[in-house]
mmCIF file with all atom_site columns, all heavy atoms in Angstrom:
data_model
loop_
_atom_site.group_PDB
_atom_site.id
_atom_site.type_symbol
_atom_site.label_atom_id
_atom_site.label_alt_id
_atom_site.label_comp_id
_atom_site.label_asym_id
_atom_site.label_entity_id
_atom_site.label_seq_id
_atom_site.pdbx_PDB_ins_code
_atom_site.Cartn_x
_atom_site.Cartn_y
_atom_site.Cartn_z
_atom_site.occupancy
_atom_site.B_iso_or_equiv
_atom_site.pdbx_formal_charge
_atom_site.auth_seq_id
_atom_site.auth_comp_id
_atom_site.auth_asym_id
_atom_site.auth_atom_id
_atom_site.pdbx_PDB_model_num
ATOM 1   N N   . ALA X 1 86  ? -5.461  32.381 13.136 1.00 98.00 ? 114 ALA X N   1
ATOM 2   C CA  . ALA X 1 86  ? -5.095  31.180 12.393 1.00 98.00 ? 114 ALA X CA  1
ATOM 3   C C   . ALA X 1 86  ? -6.330  30.412 11.950 1.00 98.00 ? 114 ALA X C   1
ATOM 4   O O   . ALA X 1 86  ? -6.383  29.880 10.834 1.00 98.00 ? 114 ALA X O   1
ATOM 5   C CB  . ALA X 1 86  ? -4.191  30.291 13.244 1.00 98.00 ? 114 ALA X CB  1
ATOM 6   N N   . VAL X 1 87  ? -7.332  30.337 12.811 1.00 98.00 ? 115 VAL X N   1
ATOM 7   C CA  . VAL X 1 87  ? -8.577  29.655 12.465 1.00 98.00 ? 115 VAL X CA  1
ATOM 8   C C   . VAL X 1 87  ? -9.235  30.339 11.273 1.00 98.00 ? 115 VAL X C   1
ATOM 9   O O   . VAL X 1 87  ? -9.718  29.674 10.338 1.00 98.00 ? 115 VAL X O   1
ATOM 10  C CB  . VAL X 1 87  ? -9.539  29.614 13.673 1.00 98.00 ? 115 VAL X CB  1
ATOM 11  C CG1 . VAL X 1 87  ? -10.958 29.267 13.236 1.00 98.00 ? 115 VAL X CG1 1
ATOM 12  C CG2 . VAL X 1 87  ? -9.032  28.611 14.711 1.00 98.00 ? 115 VAL X CG2 1
ATOM 13  N N   . GLU X 1 88  ? -9.257  31.669 11.290 1.00 98.00 ? 116 GLU X N   1
ATOM 14  C CA  . GLU X 1 88  ? -9.874  32.408 10.182 1.00 98.00 ? 116 GLU X CA  1
ATOM 15  C C   . GLU X 1 88  ? -9.158  32.106 8.864  1.00 98.00 ? 116 GLU X C   1
ATOM 16  O O   . GLU X 1 88  ? -9.800  31.830 7.835  1.00 98.00 ? 116 GLU X O   1
ATOM 17  C CB  . GLU X 1 88  ? -9.832  33.904 10.473 1.00 98.00 ? 116 GLU X CB  1
ATOM 18  C CG  . GLU X 1 88  ? -10.492 34.754 9.397  1.00 98.00 ? 116 GLU X CG  1
ATOM 19  C CD  . GLU X 1 88  ? -10.480 36.241 9.745  1.00 98.00 ? 116 GLU X CD  1
ATOM 20  O OE1 . GLU X 1 88  ? -10.084 36.590 10.868 1.00 98.00 ? 116 GLU X OE1 1
ATOM 21  O OE2 . GLU X 1 88  ? -10.865 37.040 8.865  1.00 98.00 ? 116 GLU X OE2 1
ATOM 22  N N   . ALA X 1 89  ? -7.826  32.152 8.887  1.00 98.00 ? 117 ALA X N   1
ATOM 23  C CA  . ALA X 1 89  ? -7.064  31.861 7.672  1.00 98.00 ? 117 ALA X CA  1
ATOM 24  C C   . ALA X 1 89  ? -7.220  30.410 7.257  1.00 98.00 ? 117 ALA X C   1
ATOM 25  O O   . ALA X 1 89  ? -7.355  30.096 6.070  1.00 98.00 ? 117 ALA X O   1
ATOM 26  C CB  . ALA X 1 89  ? -5.584  32.192 7.896  1.00 98.00 ? 117 ALA X CB  1
ATOM 27  N N   . ALA X 1 90  ? -7.220  29.511 8.231  1.00 98.00 ? 118 ALA X N   1
ATOM 28  C CA  . ALA X 1 90  ? -7.343  28.082 7.936  1.00 98.00 ? 118 ALA X CA  1
ATOM 29  C C   . ALA X 1 90  ? -8.682  27.765 7.289  1.00 98.00 ? 118 ALA X C   1
ATOM 30  O O   . ALA X 1 90  ? -8.751  27.002 6.318  1.00 98.00 ? 118 ALA X O   1
ATOM 31  C CB  . ALA X 1 90  ? -7.163  27.273 9.211  1.00 98.00 ? 118 ALA X CB  1
ATOM 32  N N   . ARG X 1 91  ? -9.736  28.346 7.810  1.00 98.00 ? 119 ARG X N   1
ATOM 33  C CA  . ARG X 1 91  ? -11.057 28.087 7.227  1.00 98.00 ? 119 ARG X CA  1
ATOM 34  C C   . ARG X 1 91  ? -11.128 28.607 5.796  1.00 98.00 ? 119 ARG X C   1
ATOM 35  O O   . ARG X 1 91  ? -11.707 27.961 4.916  1.00 98.00 ? 119 ARG X O   1
ATOM 36  C CB  . ARG X 1 91  ? -12.143 28.728 8.087  1.00 98.00 ? 119 ARG X CB  1
ATOM 37  C CG  . ARG X 1 91  ? -12.302 28.086 9.459  1.00 98.00 ? 119 ARG X CG  1
ATOM 38  C CD  . ARG X 1 91  ? -13.496 28.656 10.182 1.00 98.00 ? 119 ARG X CD  1
ATOM 39  N NE  . ARG X 1 91  ? -14.749 28.238 9.549  1.00 98.00 ? 119 ARG X NE  1
ATOM 40  C CZ  . ARG X 1 91  ? -15.920 28.827 9.768  1.00 98.00 ? 119 ARG X CZ  1
ATOM 41  N NH1 . ARG X 1 91  ? -15.989 29.877 10.573 1.00 98.00 ? 119 ARG X NH1 1
ATOM 42  N NH2 . ARG X 1 91  ? -17.011 28.396 9.185  1.00 98.00 ? 119 ARG X NH2 1
ATOM 43  N N   . ARG X 1 92  ? -10.532 29.747 5.557  1.00 98.00 ? 120 ARG X N   1
ATOM 44  C CA  . ARG X 1 92  ? -10.517 30.289 4.197  1.00 98.00 ? 120 ARG X CA  1
ATOM 45  C C   . ARG X 1 92  ? -9.794  29.346 3.239  1.00 98.00 ? 120 ARG X C   1
ATOM 46  O O   . ARG X 1 92  ? -10.214 29.176 2.082  1.00 98.00 ? 120 ARG X O   1
ATOM 47  C CB  . ARG X 1 92  ? -9.834  31.654 4.203  1.00 98.00 ? 120 ARG X CB  1
ATOM 48  C CG  . ARG X 1 92  ? -9.635  32.233 2.821  1.00 98.00 ? 120 ARG X CG  1
ATOM 49  C CD  . ARG X 1 92  ? -8.976  33.596 2.873  1.00 98.00 ? 120 ARG X CD  1
ATOM 50  N NE  . ARG X 1 92  ? -8.668  34.071 1.534  1.00 98.00 ? 120 ARG X NE  1
ATOM 51  C CZ  . ARG X 1 92  ? -8.064  35.214 1.264  1.00 98.00 ? 120 ARG X CZ  1
ATOM 52  N NH1 . ARG X 1 92  ? -7.723  36.037 2.253  1.00 98.00 ? 120 ARG X NH1 1
ATOM 53  N NH2 . ARG X 1 92  ? -7.803  35.562 0.010  1.00 98.00 ? 120 ARG X NH2 1
ATOM 54  N N   . LEU X 1 93  ? -8.715  28.732 3.713  1.00 98.00 ? 121 LEU X N   1
ATOM 55  C CA  . LEU X 1 93  ? -7.881  27.894 2.850  1.00 98.00 ? 121 LEU X CA  1
ATOM 56  C C   . LEU X 1 93  ? -8.238  26.412 2.921  1.00 98.00 ? 121 LEU X C   1
ATOM 57  O O   . LEU X 1 93  ? -7.565  25.581 2.295  1.00 98.00 ? 121 LEU X O   1
ATOM 58  C CB  . LEU X 1 93  ? -6.411  28.087 3.228  1.00 98.00 ? 121 LEU X CB  1
ATOM 59  C CG  . LEU X 1 93  ? -5.878  29.521 3.087  1.00 98.00 ? 121 LEU X CG  1
ATOM 60  C CD1 . LEU X 1 93  ? -4.453  29.612 3.604  1.00 98.00 ? 121 LEU X CD1 1
ATOM 61  C CD2 . LEU X 1 93  ? -5.967  30.002 1.639  1.00 98.00 ? 121 LEU X CD2 1
ATOM 62  N N   . GLY X 1 94  ? -9.276  26.079 3.667  1.00 98.00 ? 122 GLY X N   1
ATOM 63  C CA  . GLY X 1 94  ? -9.693  24.685 3.764  1.00 98.00 ? 122 GLY X CA  1
ATOM 64  C C   . GLY X 1 94  ? -8.752  23.812 4.563  1.00 98.00 ? 122 GLY X C   1
ATOM 65  O O   . GLY X 1 94  ? -8.698  22.595 4.365  1.00 98.00 ? 122 GLY X O   1
ATOM 66  N N   . CYS X 1 95  ? -8.009  24.415 5.480  1.00 98.00 ? 123 CYS X N   1
ATOM 67  C CA  . CYS X 1 95  ? -7.052  23.692 6.318  1.00 98.00 ? 123 CYS X CA  1
ATOM 68  C C   . CYS X 1 95  ? -7.692  23.369 7.659  1.00 98.00 ? 123 CYS X C   1
ATOM 69  O O   . CYS X 1 95  ? -8.307  24.238 8.285  1.00 98.00 ? 123 CYS X O   1
ATOM 70  C CB  . CYS X 1 95  ? -5.806  24.552 6.522  1.00 98.00 ? 123 CYS X CB  1
ATOM 71  S SG  . CYS X 1 95  ? -4.532  23.805 7.552  1.00 98.00 ? 123 CYS X SG  1
ATOM 72  N N   . THR X 1 96  ? -7.556  22.142 8.127  1.00 98.00 ? 124 THR X N   1
ATOM 73  C CA  . THR X 1 96  ? -8.216  21.746 9.375  1.00 98.00 ? 124 THR X CA  1
ATOM 74  C C   . THR X 1 96  ? -7.269  21.573 10.558 1.00 98.00 ? 124 THR X C   1
ATOM 75  O O   . THR X 1 96  ? -7.715  21.255 11.657 1.00 98.00 ? 124 THR X O   1
ATOM 76  C CB  . THR X 1 96  ? -8.979  20.430 9.172  1.00 98.00 ? 124 THR X CB  1
ATOM 77  O OG1 . THR X 1 96  ? -8.064  19.408 8.731  1.00 98.00 ? 124 THR X OG1 1
ATOM 78  C CG2 . THR X 1 96  ? -10.097 20.590 8.154  1.00 98.00 ? 124 THR X CG2 1
ATOM 79  N N   . ARG X 1 97  ? -5.962  21.826 10.350 1.00 98.00 ? 125 ARG X N   1
ATOM 80  C CA  . ARG X 1 97  ? -4.993  21.657 11.437 1.00 98.00 ? 125 ARG X CA  1
ATOM 81  C C   . ARG X 1 97  ? -4.107  22.889 11.546 1.00 98.00 ? 125 ARG X C   1
ATOM 82  O O   . ARG X 1 97  ? -3.513  23.303 10.552 1.00 98.00 ? 125 ARG X O   1
ATOM 83  C CB  . ARG X 1 97  ? -4.117  20.426 11.208 1.00 98.00 ? 125 ARG X CB  1
ATOM 84  C CG  . ARG X 1 97  ? -4.858  19.113 11.258 1.00 98.00 ? 125 ARG X CG  1
ATOM 85  C CD  . ARG X 1 97  ? -3.997  17.967 10.728 1.00 98.00 ? 125 ARG X CD  1
ATOM 86  N NE  . ARG X 1 97  ? -4.749  16.724 10.712 1.00 98.00 ? 125 ARG X NE  1
ATOM 87  C CZ  . ARG X 1 97  ? -5.601  16.378 9.761  1.00 98.00 ? 125 ARG X CZ  1
ATOM 88  N NH1 . ARG X 1 97  ? -5.817  17.203 8.730  1.00 98.00 ? 125 ARG X NH1 1
ATOM 89  N NH2 . ARG X 1 97  ? -6.240  15.222 9.806  1.00 98.00 ? 125 ARG X NH2 1
ATOM 90  N N   . ILE X 1 98  ? -3.993  23.439 12.757 1.00 98.00 ? 126 ILE X N   1
ATOM 91  C CA  . ILE X 1 98  ? -3.109  24.571 13.006 1.00 98.00 ? 126 ILE X CA  1
ATOM 92  C C   . ILE X 1 98  ? -2.136  24.173 14.109 1.00 98.00 ? 126 ILE X C   1
ATOM 93  O O   . ILE X 1 98  ? -2.527  23.635 15.141 1.00 98.00 ? 126 ILE X O   1
ATOM 94  C CB  . ILE X 1 98  ? -3.894  25.848 13.347 1.00 98.00 ? 126 ILE X CB  1
ATOM 95  C CG1 . ILE X 1 98  ? -4.866  25.641 14.513 1.00 98.00 ? 126 ILE X CG1 1
ATOM 96  C CG2 . ILE X 1 98  ? -4.657  26.329 12.112 1.00 98.00 ? 126 ILE X CG2 1
ATOM 97  C CD1 . ILE X 1 98  ? -5.602  26.918 14.942 1.00 98.00 ? 126 ILE X CD1 1
ATOM 98  N N   . VAL X 1 99  ? -0.863  24.438 13.896 1.00 98.00 ? 127 VAL X N   1
ATOM 99  C CA  . VAL X 1 99  ? 0.220   23.885 14.709 1.00 98.00 ? 127 VAL X CA  1
ATOM 100 C C   . VAL X 1 99  ? 0.696   24.869 15.768 1.00 98.00 ? 127 VAL X C   1
ATOM 101 O O   . VAL X 1 99  ? 0.903   26.053 15.487 1.00 98.00 ? 127 VAL X O   1
ATOM 102 C CB  . VAL X 1 99  ? 1.415   23.509 13.809 1.00 98.00 ? 127 VAL X CB  1
ATOM 103 C CG1 . VAL X 1 99  ? 2.532   22.875 14.642 1.00 98.00 ? 127 VAL X CG1 1
ATOM 104 C CG2 . VAL X 1 99  ? 0.983   22.580 12.687 1.00 98.00 ? 127 VAL X CG2 1
ATOM 105 N N   . THR X 1 100 ? 0.926   24.353 16.974 1.00 98.00 ? 128 THR X N   1
ATOM 106 C CA  . THR X 1 100 ? 1.532   25.166 18.023 1.00 98.00 ? 128 THR X CA  1
ATOM 107 C C   . THR X 1 100 ? 2.480   24.311 18.852 1.00 98.00 ? 128 THR X C   1
ATOM 108 O O   . THR X 1 100 ? 2.446   23.080 18.803 1.00 98.00 ? 128 THR X O   1
ATOM 109 C CB  . THR X 1 100 ? 0.463   25.801 18.937 1.00 98.00 ? 128 THR X CB  1
ATOM 110 O OG1 . THR X 1 100 ? 1.059   26.833 19.735 1.00 98.00 ? 128 THR X OG1 1
ATOM 111 C CG2 . THR X 1 100 ? -0.163  24.776 19.875 1.00 98.00 ? 128 THR X CG2 1
ATOM 112 N N   . GLY X 1 101 ? 3.324   24.985 19.609 1.00 98.00 ? 129 GLY X N   1
ATOM 113 C CA  . GLY X 1 101 ? 4.169   24.327 20.602 1.00 98.00 ? 129 GLY X CA  1
ATOM 114 C C   . GLY X 1 101 ? 3.868   24.909 21.965 1.00 98.00 ? 129 GLY X C   1
ATOM 115 O O   . GLY X 1 101 ? 2.989   25.763 22.116 1.00 98.00 ? 129 GLY X O   1
ATOM 116 N N   . SER X 1 102 ? 4.614   24.464 22.968 1.00 98.00 ? 130 SER X N   1
ATOM 117 C CA  . SER X 1 102 ? 4.381   24.939 24.332 1.00 98.00 ? 130 SER X CA  1
ATOM 118 C C   . SER X 1 102 ? 5.065   26.259 24.627 1.00 98.00 ? 130 SER X C   1
ATOM 119 O O   . SER X 1 102 ? 4.721   26.966 25.573 1.00 98.00 ? 130 SER X O   1
ATOM 120 C CB  . SER X 1 102 ? 4.896   23.911 25.328 1.00 98.00 ? 130 SER X CB  1
ATOM 121 O OG  . SER X 1 102 ? 6.319   23.802 25.241 1.00 98.00 ? 130 SER X OG  1
ATOM 122 N N   . GLY X 1 103 ? 6.078   26.602 23.811 1.00 98.00 ? 131 GLY X N   1
ATOM 123 C CA  . GLY X 1 103 ? 6.935   27.729 24.156 1.00 98.00 ? 131 GLY X CA  1
ATOM 124 C C   . GLY X 1 103 ? 7.994   27.297 25.157 1.00 98.00 ? 131 GLY X C   1
ATOM 125 O O   . GLY X 1 103 ? 8.042   26.135 25.594 1.00 98.00 ? 131 GLY X O   1
ATOM 126 N N   . VAL X 1 104 ? 8.856   28.216 25.533 1.00 98.00 ? 132 VAL X N   1
ATOM 127 C CA  . VAL X 1 104 ? 9.959   27.894 26.439 1.00 98.00 ? 132 VAL X CA  1
ATOM 128 C C   . VAL X 1 104 ? 9.459   27.755 27.878 1.00 98.00 ? 132 VAL X C   1
ATOM 129 O O   . VAL X 1 104 ? 8.384   28.249 28.232 1.00 98.00 ? 132 VAL X O   1
ATOM 130 C CB  . VAL X 1 104 ? 11.077  28.947 26.376 1.00 98.00 ? 132 VAL X CB  1
ATOM 131 C CG1 . VAL X 1 104 ? 11.653  29.025 24.974 1.00 98.00 ? 132 VAL X CG1 1
ATOM 132 C CG2 . VAL X 1 104 ? 10.568  30.312 26.815 1.00 98.00 ? 132 VAL X CG2 1
ATOM 133 N N   . GLY X 1 105 ? 10.253  27.076 28.668 1.00 98.00 ? 133 GLY X N   1
ATOM 134 C CA  . GLY X 1 105 ? 9.929   26.933 30.082 1.00 98.00 ? 133 GLY X CA  1
ATOM 135 C C   . GLY X 1 105 ? 10.447  28.108 30.904 1.00 98.00 ? 133 GLY X C   1
ATOM 136 O O   . GLY X 1 105 ? 11.244  28.921 30.431 1.00 98.00 ? 133 GLY X O   1
ATOM 137 N N   . LEU X 1 106 ? 9.957   28.199 32.129 1.00 98.00 ? 134 LEU X N   1
ATOM 138 C CA  . LEU X 1 106 ? 10.344  29.272 33.037 1.00 98.00 ? 134 LEU X CA  1
ATOM 139 C C   . LEU X 1 106 ? 11.173  28.694 34.189 1.00 98.00 ? 134 LEU X C   1
ATOM 140 O O   . LEU X 1 106 ? 10.708  27.784 34.881 1.00 98.00 ? 134 LEU X O   1
ATOM 141 C CB  . LEU X 1 106 ? 9.105   29.963 33.599 1.00 98.00 ? 134 LEU X CB  1
ATOM 142 C CG  . LEU X 1 106 ? 8.189   30.607 32.553 1.00 98.00 ? 134 LEU X CG  1
ATOM 143 C CD1 . LEU X 1 106 ? 6.902   31.105 33.212 1.00 98.00 ? 134 LEU X CD1 1
ATOM 144 C CD2 . LEU X 1 106 ? 8.909   31.746 31.846 1.00 98.00 ? 134 LEU X CD2 1
ATOM 145 N N   . PRO X 1 107 ? 12.359  29.188 34.418 1.00 94.00 ? 135 PRO X N   1
ATOM 146 C CA  . PRO X 1 107 ? 13.245  28.595 35.431 1.00 94.00 ? 135 PRO X CA  1
ATOM 147 C C   . PRO X 1 107 ? 12.770  28.782 36.867 1.00 94.00 ? 135 PRO X C   1
ATOM 148 O O   . PRO X 1 107 ? 13.215  28.074 37.767 1.00 94.00 ? 135 PRO X O   1
ATOM 149 C CB  . PRO X 1 107 ? 14.574  29.321 35.196 1.00 94.00 ? 135 PRO X CB  1
ATOM 150 C CG  . PRO X 1 107 ? 14.201  30.614 34.558 1.00 94.00 ? 135 PRO X CG  1
ATOM 151 C CD  . PRO X 1 107 ? 13.003  30.308 33.712 1.00 94.00 ? 135 PRO X CD  1
ATOM 152 N N   . TYR X 1 108 ? 11.844  29.706 37.095 1.00 96.00 ? 136 TYR X N   1
ATOM 153 C CA  . TYR X 1 108 ? 11.429  30.001 38.466 1.00 96.00 ? 136 TYR X CA  1
ATOM 154 C C   . TYR X 1 108 ? 10.133  29.299 38.868 1.00 96.00 ? 136 TYR X C   1
ATOM 155 O O   . TYR X 1 108 ? 9.633   29.497 39.967 1.00 96.00 ? 136 TYR X O   1
ATOM 156 C CB  . TYR X 1 108 ? 11.279  31.515 38.655 1.00 96.00 ? 136 TYR X CB  1
ATOM 157 C CG  . TYR X 1 108 ? 10.393  32.186 37.633 1.00 96.00 ? 136 TYR X CG  1
ATOM 158 C CD1 . TYR X 1 108 ? 9.009   32.238 37.802 1.00 96.00 ? 136 TYR X CD1 1
ATOM 159 C CD2 . TYR X 1 108 ? 10.944  32.776 36.506 1.00 96.00 ? 136 TYR X CD2 1
ATOM 160 C CE1 . TYR X 1 108 ? 8.193   32.853 36.871 1.00 96.00 ? 136 TYR X CE1 1
ATOM 161 C CE2 . TYR X 1 108 ? 10.131  33.400 35.563 1.00 96.00 ? 136 TYR X CE2 1
ATOM 162 C CZ  . TYR X 1 108 ? 8.764   33.422 35.745 1.00 96.00 ? 136 TYR X CZ  1
ATOM 163 O OH  . TYR X 1 108 ? 7.959   34.032 34.817 1.00 96.00 ? 136 TYR X OH  1
ATOM 164 N N   . LEU X 1 109 ? 9.576   28.459 37.989 1.00 97.00 ? 137 LEU X N   1
ATOM 165 C CA  . LEU X 1 109 ? 8.377   27.703 38.323 1.00 97.00 ? 137 LEU X CA  1
ATOM 166 C C   . LEU X 1 109 ? 8.631   26.212 38.182 1.00 97.00 ? 137 LEU X C   1
ATOM 167 O O   . LEU X 1 109 ? 9.321   25.781 37.264 1.00 97.00 ? 137 LEU X O   1
ATOM 168 C CB  . LEU X 1 109 ? 7.210   28.085 37.391 1.00 97.00 ? 137 LEU X CB  1
ATOM 169 C CG  . LEU X 1 109 ? 6.487   29.391 37.629 1.00 97.00 ? 137 LEU X CG  1
ATOM 170 C CD1 . LEU X 1 109 ? 5.373   29.554 36.601 1.00 97.00 ? 137 LEU X CD1 1
ATOM 171 C CD2 . LEU X 1 109 ? 5.910   29.459 39.038 1.00 97.00 ? 137 LEU X CD2 1
#
Side-chain angles (χ1 to χ4, degrees):
V115 164
E116 182 178 353
R119 292 187 69 196
R120 174 179 174 182
L121 300 175
C123 179
T124 58
R125 294 168 183 81
I126 54 176
V127 182
T128 194
S130 66
V132 299
L134 300 173
Y136 53 85
L137 283 180

